[in-house]
Amino acid sequence: MKRNQKEGASSMSGFKGFRKRRKRKNSGSDPVIPSTGEDLRVALHPELEKNRRVMKDLFERCYDVTFRPFRIGKEIEAEIVYIENMADIKELNDHALASLMKASLTRPEEIEGFLREELPVVSAKPVQTFDECVKQVAAGDPVLFIDGWDRALNLGLRKWEKRGISEPESEPVIRGSKEGFIESALSNTSLLRRRIQSPQLKMEEMRLGRYTQTRVIVAYIEGVVNEGVLDEVKRRLERIDIDGVLESGYIEELIEDNPFSPFPQINVTERVDVVAADLLSGRVAIITDGSPEVMTVPLSFPTLLQAAEDYYVRFTYATAIRWLRYLLFFFSLTAPSFYVATITFHPEAVPTEQLFNFAAAREKIPLPTVIEALLMEIAFEALREAGLRLPKIVGPAVSIVGALIIGEAAVTAGLVSAPVVIVVAITGIASFSVPRYALGFTMRILRFPLLILAGSLGMVGFSLGLIALVVHLATLRSFGMPYLSPLAPFRLEELKDALWRAPRWKMDQRPSLSPNDYRQSPDQKPGPEQGGER
């Protein structure tokens, strides 16, 4: 029993169990398959039977892997290996199998010319090792083995189920594109290609994950991208050694600059237009197969407070909304702790009449103000999480009704005061104005230490918390780029797309990140001389 358990465990790690079985089954003339996935880079054998036995041992106990033997031109033996429901069976039957069976071939020497000139499969590519064959079959592509040919043919006829393209629910806009990325990397790259129709848009592929072999694509615009950032992205991705990558969040945690910072250092979005705009600004995009979220680097803090719609509406409206967003972000982060510090340690700062109202509201409350605020913040976060995890039909209703009932009941029971409920509610509403979910989560986390500092040391603790926060942001980097850029280091020219949104005809220069300075001609201000009234 122990021996069987050991062999089963070893078969899950680098094909060790497979090597043991092969040594017992193979004769001395068979190809020897070593123990690790990397060592599977062994050349295929010209004899079909030996290749078949190796592939069947590799895919042993895989019920969905199909081995389909047939003859090419009634003379040459061949076999197609594919996974059901991952291969395009109709194309495989109508084009590949039908053409091969009708071919008038009698010798293996004629195969290569026929495959190159007459096989009606555009994406067919030859493969030479068992490692390549295993990867292609596992990815969904049928692989053709032919007796007398020391190579195999990847037919490239994979067909995966995927959902349709729709608007990202987490980043909605009123005006602008409604297209969002999906879980297919090939579909996502085609969406980008449709937006940026230039051969300068480069896409380099790599595989991450020993078992998952997840396709990761690095996209950038040659001549616009910062080469230093591009090299750093490739270096960090190449050093990843992990058994599997199931979502882009795996990669994000392994390549960010400061893993202990609560602030996001990589921009994550489902919007095609946002990624296209980042590429045109000199950034690098990382597309992960199986994830609708695409990452772009480097990231600066002002970018987190910018919405895609800012660039589709008039600049006056976009600037006003952006300033309001900055104000609400600061209010959401500091309002509860400022209220606690003022009421607890500095009541003289409150107008007398209002102070009497606060005192009357707190007359029967047994808890300190800081504990009140902490309890209400925790209750609010619990309701928010409940609304997210519940089914969409009942989630919003439960959140709203729960907040009303809990708030009213807590005030009536004398557990918390009405002003605390109001402050926490306004804080929660303000947090929803942040367009990036990752930054909103950061605010939710940072509110609690600020609350504790304000409740312990008053305005001194509140000020120390804000100073520590600013110092941390000033020292943070995203792939070498200062996190507070263009605020620190200060770049006046780039403030037109940070603190405010300048008119389109004034945004002629790219960020200093890109070596390509100009994105448009500088003299494009509209007016009567451009064809209007004279």
Side-chain angles (χ1 to χ4, degrees):
M1 183 67 181
K2 291 183 178 178
R3 180 183 176 185
N4 292 337
Q5 290 176 347
K6 289 180 180 178
E7 289 188 2
S10 63
S11 67
M12 296 298 291
S13 176
F15 299 104
K16 292 182 180 178
F18 168 75
R19 178 176 61 170
K20 294 177 182 177
R21 294 192 297 273
R22 288 296 298 170
K23 285 184 176 180
R24 290 196 297 269
K25 293 180 181 179
N26 287 347
S27 64
S29 61
D30 286 345
V32 178
I33 307 302
S35 61
T36 65
E38 184 177 355
D39 293 337
L40 283 173
R41 295 172 186 169
V42 177
L44 297 172
H45 201 278
E47 294 184 27
L48 174 62
E49 180 59 30
K50 293 182 178 180
N51 292 333
R52 178 191 292 129
R53 290 207 308 265
V54 172
M55 293 297 291
K56 285 190 174 181
D57 278 340
L58 286 169
F59 287 104
E60 185 179 3
R61 298 189 297 276
C62 297
Y63 83 95
D64 54 343
V65 179
T66 301
F67 290 79
R68 170 66 164 86
F70 67 100
R71 289 182 181 272
I72 299 177
K74 299 181 180 181
E75 296 290 337
I76 303 172
E77 291 189 4
E79 187 157 7
I80 289 181
V81 183
Y82 63 93
I83 297 178
E84 294 183 15
N85 298 323
M86 292 183 68
D88 192 332
I89 302 299
K90 186 177 185 305
E91 292 290 326
L92 184 62
N93 289 331
D94 295 349
H95 295 90
L97 280 174
S99 299
L100 290 167
M101 289 180 176
K102 295 176 181 178
S104 57
L105 301 179
T106 58
R107 295 177 300 166
E109 293 79 8
E110 302 172 348
I111 294 173
E112 192 165 356
F114 172 81
L115 296 177
R116 183 175 60 252
E117 298 174 4
E118 299 185 40
L119 185 67
V121 179
V122 176
S123 55
K125 297 178 182 178
V127 290
Q128 299 180 347
T129 66
F130 286 106
D131 179 62
E132 292 179 285
C133 292
V134 169
K135 288 180 178 178
Q136 298 305 326
V137 171
D141 287 331
V143 175
L144 171 66
F145 294 89
I146 302 173
D147 191 30
W149 199 40
D150 61 352
R151 281 174 284 175
L153 191 70
N154 169 24
L155 296 177
L157 295 175
R158 71 180 66 175
K159 184 179 181 181
W160 294 347
E161 296 295 332
K162 58 185 180 182
R163 65 181 176 93
I165 297 172
S166 58
E167 182 180 10
E169 294 182 2
S170 59
E171 301 174 75
V173 295
I174 297 175
R175 178 176 180 178
S177 171
K178 303 299 188 293
E179 287 182 336
F181 291 116
I182 60 175
E183 287 74 13
S184 170
L186 295 178
S187 298
N188 294 341
T189 55
S190 65
L191 289 172
L192 278 178
R193 286 285 183 193
R194 197 175 74 174
R195 288 300 183 110
I196 305 176
Q197 300 179 19
S198 169
Q200 300 305 110
L201 175 59
K202 308 299 181 182
M203 296 186 181
E204 300 182 23
E205 178 188 303
M206 61 179 64
R207 299 278 179 166
L208 297 181
R210 301 191 201 105
Y211 298 106
T212 60
Q213 288 292 305
T214 305
R215 173 183 288 157
V216 177
I217 299 170
V218 178
Y220 59 92
I221 299 180
E222 190 175 41
V224 176
V225 69
N226 185 300
E227 294 292 341
V229 172
L230 178 61
D231 293 341
E232 182 65 17
V233 169
K234 293 180 181 179
R235 186 185 68 81
R236 295 189 189 187
L237 289 174
E238 288 170 354
R239 75 181 183 188
I240 294 177
D241 184 14
I242 190 172
D243 58 353
V245 174
L246 303 180
E247 214 275 337
S248 59
Y250 284 52
I251 299 174
E252 182 181 2
E253 288 194 50
L254 291 170
I255 65 174
E256 60 186 356
D257 289 63
N258 189 341
F260 297 104
S261 174
F263 288 91
Q265 298 147 61
I266 296 174
N267 189 27
V268 180
T269 180
E270 294 184 47
R271 296 193 60 84
V272 182
D273 51 351
V274 171
V275 175
D278 282 348
L279 291 175
L280 291 170
S281 297
R283 292 180 169 85
V284 180
I286 304 171
I287 304 170
T288 306
D289 196 21
S291 172
E293 283 84 15
V294 173
M295 300 178 288
T296 59
V297 294
L299 173 67
S300 62
F301 180 75
T303 304
L304 294 171
L305 292 169
Q306 298 171 3
E309 202 169 15
D310 291 352
Y311 300 93
Y312 306 142
V313 298
R314 294 183 59 82
F315 68 92
T316 51
Y317 175 75
T319 300
I321 292 300
R322 188 172 291 184
W323 286 349
L324 177 62
R325 207 176 288 137
Y326 286 142
L327 178 63
L328 292 175
F329 165 76
F330 184 76
F331 185 87
S332 174
L333 182 64
T334 61
S337 51
F338 181 81
Y339 172 80
V340 168
T342 303
I343 295 299
T344 306
F345 291 91
H346 309 282
E348 67 279 359
V350 182
T352 305
E353 292 184 3
Q354 192 62 46
L355 184 61
F356 287 155
N357 293 334
F358 287 158
R362 282 196 41 81
E363 184 178 0
K364 297 181 181 180
I365 306 301
L367 301 174
T369 306
V370 63
I371 303 299
E372 281 186 83
L374 282 172
L375 289 176
M376 289 306 301
E377 283 287 350
I378 293 173
F380 185 84
E381 294 300 331
L383 288 169
R384 185 183 340 218
E385 282 300 309
L388 290 174
R389 308 303 167 208
L390 286 170
K392 293 181 180 180
I393 299 176
V394 299
V398 169
S399 300
I400 296 171
V401 174
L404 292 173
I405 293 176
I406 290 178
E408 180 65 24
V411 173
T412 304
L415 296 178
V416 295
S417 60
V420 170
V421 175
I422 294 172
V423 170
V424 171
I426 295 177
T427 300
I429 294 172
S431 67
F432 292 130
S433 66
V434 177
R436 307 291 182 187
Y437 176 78
L439 182 60
F441 189 78
T442 300
M443 290 190 307
R444 293 161 61 182
I445 293 295
L446 292 177
R447 275 204 294 265
F448 289 97
L450 280 177
L451 258 176
I452 295 172
L453 284 172
S456 304
L457 302 174
M459 282 298 178
V460 175
F462 176 73
S463 302
L464 288 176
L466 289 182
I467 291 172
L469 202 58
V470 173
V471 170
H472 172 70
L473 289 173
T475 58
L476 203 57
R477 295 288 187 275
S478 175
F479 284 79
M481 178 181 177
Y483 199 62
L484 290 180
S485 176
L487 304 175
F490 184 77
R491 296 188 180 96
L492 179 62
E493 181 63 26
E494 296 183 30
L495 292 182
K496 61 186 178 183
D497 195 24
L499 293 184
W500 59 86
R501 210 276 274 174
R504 178 64 57 188
W505 43 268
K506 288 289 290 182
M507 300 175 65
D508 50 352
Q509 288 186 322
R510 289 189 176 90
S512 58
L513 168 72
S514 173
N516 192 329
D517 294 336
Y518 288 92
R519 56 159 56 100
Q520 64 186 33
S521 300
D523 301 322
Q524 297 198 65
K525 181 180 179 180
E529 62 276 10
Q530 274 77 36
E533 295 181 1
R534 297 184 181 275

